[in-house]
Amino acid sequence: MTRLTRFVRTTAFKLSLLYIAVFTVMSGVLVVYVSESTDNLMSEQVVQAVDAELKGLSDVYVRGGIRDLVETVDDRTQHPDASLYLLVDFAGNALVGNIARLPTVVLEEADGGLRRVRYTLLGQGTEDVERQAMVRTFELRGGFRLLVGRDLGDQLRFSNLLANALRLWLVVVVVMAAITWFFVSRRVMKRIDDISASSRMIMDGDLSERLSLAGTNDEFDRLAVNLNDMLDRIELLMQSMKDVTDNIAHDLKTPLTRLQTRVETALRDAKGEAGYRGALESTLHETDHLLRIFNALLRIARVESMAPGSVMEPADLNRLVAEIAELYEPLVEDEGGRLEIDVPENLEAVCNRDLISQVLVNLIENALKYGRPEKGPLVLRLKGREEGGRVWLSVSDNGPGIPEKDHDRVMDRFVRLEESRSEPGTGLGLSLVKAVARLHGGDLRFKNEHPGLCARIDLTPVSHESFRSGDGEERFGRTEQPRGG
């Protein structure tokens, strides 16, 4: 009873009920319209046939009198069809015709009007079968009366056949509508129940559960695909949050422990102002390191929480790269290396200028720390191109590179390869670059160039025609959804 009540309250049930009512009413109107139209058409045909018979007989009567009329009527009654004839004298005695019995009032009111009557046919054992006909009666000179009519048997049979067919059609429509409603409602309810069951499993904590697809690419499949993409994103964010929490607990435990040890040592062993000052300076250094880690985490979180396209504007990448290169070129030269730029003029992209600048800074600093070659000077290259409907920027060096098996791992938070443990850092720089790339609808990808490593991100290009025509604001507010989650 509960399932029935829930089923009756569903939108699918109400819509199906409405469709059944609409189809039933439309079918009923169609039945009435066809029946009335058919009956009127056949009645017109009967009237035309009777009028044609009367015109022919009246011509015979005018030309040859009552004798020719009797002969003509007698001849026509010998050919059985739907036509009816009856000629009587002034006393009501039948002279000729094919009607056995007829209400006397029909002959008495010989006004030429069309009327529907019941009669019995003469001969062939049909005197006891009552029929219906449309007749006209006229009074002739000498007191004679002539009745001409048309049997309605064929018309009535056809009307009954049509009415039965239409009634059957109406029943079939209602039954088929009910069957369709039943199966459609069950299908819709099953899909909704599947979605509800999956939702309950997800709410219970199983974030790996996904909505099932029927493979029909209908609206439920499209909804399920979108919801599954959303769930993938939520699961990724939840996993990232868990990883961040684990990494914070793991990576911050050492500096916090070290900070606590130094404070305890200072309280126990430090003597005089110089001892306490040295302890405070060491403590301050550790707190600065912790603050840098937390600031980097907050910056990554802010980038990941931005809506794609909400902070985008057209930017001249040639000019942006030139500004970054001007800032870092002296530093590279101090390291005994050189900085090369290969970005074509008028290369524009829809991006967040500040975040892309931060990306280039992080990649250049990583190359300065870990991209020094074993022999020869350091060479850094900043390159940009537009290919395949996307704009990409890259920073490459001529150092030892990164093993391919670690290309994905180095983008995770707090990950530092063994070769870089001796260098200062937090292990969050590439995580920020990855977050910025995803915000721009692209990816961060690495490629070993033997020698060296190339780090590349994708951006959305600017359409120069749109930019000049003034619709840039509409275009620049849209970016592709982040790939890969």
Side-chain angles (χ1 to χ4, degrees):
M1 191 64 183
T2 303
R3 288 177 57 86
L4 179 60
T5 303
R6 184 169 64 91
F7 184 75
V8 170
R9 291 178 178 176
T10 60
T11 303
F13 175 83
K14 295 176 182 177
L15 288 177
S16 300
L17 202 62
L18 176 62
Y19 293 153
I20 291 177
V22 170
F23 285 132
T24 302
V25 171
M26 292 178 61
S27 298
V29 171
L30 178 64
V31 167
V32 173
Y33 174 76
V34 172
S35 298
E36 292 292 335
S37 299
T38 303
D39 189 62
N40 292 336
L41 178 61
M42 297 186 71
S43 297
E44 291 177 3
Q45 292 177 346
V46 169
V47 172
Q48 293 173 1
V50 171
D51 290 343
E53 292 280 358
L54 283 173
K55 185 177 183 306
L57 293 176
S58 64
D59 291 341
V60 171
Y61 180 70
V62 170
R63 290 193 306 268
I66 192 67
R67 184 180 299 276
D68 287 350
L69 179 61
V70 170
E71 292 179 357
T72 301
V73 170
D74 184 62
D75 182 65
R76 292 186 179 183
T77 57
Q78 303 304 317
H79 304 85
D81 58 10
S83 298
L84 301 175
Y85 308 95
L86 182 61
L87 180 62
V88 298
D89 59 13
F90 66 93
N93 300 315
L95 301 178
V96 66
N98 56 0
I99 297 177
R101 284 195 301 273
L102 185 74
T104 56
V105 68
V106 177
L107 295 174
E108 292 174 357
E109 298 178 358
D111 54 3
L114 185 68
R115 65 186 65 192
R116 193 182 188 111
V117 299
R118 291 184 175 275
Y119 78 100
T120 55
L121 190 64
L122 179 66
Q124 300 179 353
T126 59
E127 290 83 353
D128 295 331
V129 179
E130 193 173 56
R131 301 168 178 265
Q132 293 189 49
M134 298 290 291
V135 299
R136 290 183 187 273
T137 306
F138 291 90
E139 186 172 359
L140 306 177
R141 291 190 304 272
F144 296 101
R145 293 181 176 84
L146 174 64
L147 180 147
V148 178
R150 194 79 174 174
D151 185 82
L152 299 180
D154 293 339
Q155 178 182 350
L156 292 176
R157 283 191 295 273
F158 181 79
S159 297
N160 291 333
L161 180 63
L162 180 63
N164 291 333
L166 292 177
R167 280 192 291 269
L168 179 61
W169 160 257
L170 183 61
V171 172
V172 170
V173 166
V174 174
V175 172
M176 292 303 297
I179 293 174
T180 303
W181 156 73
F182 178 75
F183 284 104
V184 169
S185 298
R186 281 181 59 88
R187 181 176 180 276
V188 172
M189 287 298 299
K190 184 179 184 304
R191 297 296 298 274
I192 293 176
D193 288 341
D194 290 343
I195 293 175
S196 299
S198 299
S199 301
R200 282 193 297 269
M201 295 181 66
I202 294 170
M203 288 187 293
D204 290 339
D206 185 7
L207 295 180
S208 63
E209 177 66 19
R210 294 295 180 268
L211 305 181
S212 60
L213 301 178
T216 57
N217 198 30
D218 58 4
E219 63 277 7
F220 284 103
D221 271 6
R222 294 194 295 270
L223 175 63
V225 168
N226 291 334
L227 290 178
N228 286 339
D229 290 343
M230 180 186 69
L231 292 171
D232 289 339
R233 178 67 173 163
I234 292 174
E235 184 181 16
L236 178 63
L237 292 176
M238 294 295 293
Q239 185 62 40
S240 299
M241 183 181 298
K242 179 180 180 298
D243 293 341
V244 169
T245 304
D246 294 342
N247 289 329
I248 288 177
H250 182 270
D251 285 66
L252 296 187
K253 180 179 180 180
T254 299
L256 287 174
T257 302
R258 195 162 52 236
L259 182 64
Q260 181 184 21
T261 302
R262 287 178 179 173
V263 171
E264 290 175 349
T265 301
L267 291 175
R268 185 179 63 250
D269 300 333
K271 297 180 180 179
E273 181 178 348
Y276 285 111
R277 184 177 184 85
L280 288 175
E281 289 177 350
S282 299
T283 302
L284 182 61
H285 176 74
E286 290 293 339
T287 56
D288 286 341
H289 179 65
L290 291 173
L291 287 175
R292 284 196 299 272
I293 292 177
F294 280 112
N295 287 334
L297 288 172
L298 289 174
R299 188 169 180 81
I300 293 173
R302 283 195 295 268
V303 171
E304 291 180 337
S305 65
M306 290 180 181
S310 62
V311 289
M312 305 299 174
E313 60 183 4
D316 185 344
L317 297 183
N318 179 278
R319 182 177 178 182
L320 186 149
V321 172
E323 292 175 355
I324 299 298
E326 183 179 359
L327 178 65
Y328 275 90
E329 190 171 14
L331 183 58
V332 175
E333 291 177 352
D334 290 342
E335 295 287 336
R338 68 178 185 273
L339 182 62
E340 299 176 354
I341 301 176
D342 183 11
V343 179
E345 294 184 1
N346 300 322
L347 182 63
E348 295 178 328
V350 179
C351 63
N352 184 302
R353 182 183 176 89
D354 293 337
L355 292 178
I356 296 302
S357 298
Q358 184 65 56
V359 163
L360 294 176
V361 168
N362 285 13
L363 293 177
I364 291 173
E365 290 187 349
N366 266 20
L368 287 172
K369 289 179 183 178
Y370 315 120
R372 298 187 187 93
E374 295 181 0
K375 296 180 181 180
L378 171 65
V379 179
L380 295 183
R381 297 182 183 86
L382 304 182
K383 190 174 181 180
R385 289 288 187 276
E386 181 176 354
E387 294 178 355
R390 300 286 292 174
V391 170
W392 56 263
L393 291 175
S394 67
V395 176
S396 59
D397 57 55
N398 59 338
I402 299 176
E404 289 190 7
K405 62 183 179 64
D406 294 324
H407 282 185
D408 293 333
R409 194 167 71 90
V410 294
M411 292 184 285
D412 295 336
R413 293 177 176 89
F414 299 110
V415 172
R416 304 183 68 194
L417 302 181
E418 292 301 325
E419 296 83 356
S420 62
R421 289 288 180 179
S422 60
E423 296 289 342
T426 61
L428 295 173
L430 293 180
S431 297
L432 176 61
V433 175
K434 178 183 176 182
V436 173
R438 290 181 58 187
L439 176 66
H440 287 77
D443 293 317
L444 169 62
R445 293 192 291 272
F446 296 108
K447 180 181 179 182
N448 287 324
E449 296 187 329
H450 307 290
L453 178 73
C454 175
R456 167 176 155 174
I457 65 169
D458 297 332
L459 303 173
T460 303
V462 172
S463 170
H464 295 282
E465 291 77 6
S466 298
F467 183 65
R468 286 194 293 266
S469 64
D471 66 346
E473 181 178 353
E474 180 181 354
R475 286 179 55 82
F476 301 151
R478 296 194 303 264
T479 60
E480 295 183 8
Q481 291 297 324
R483 295 192 292 265

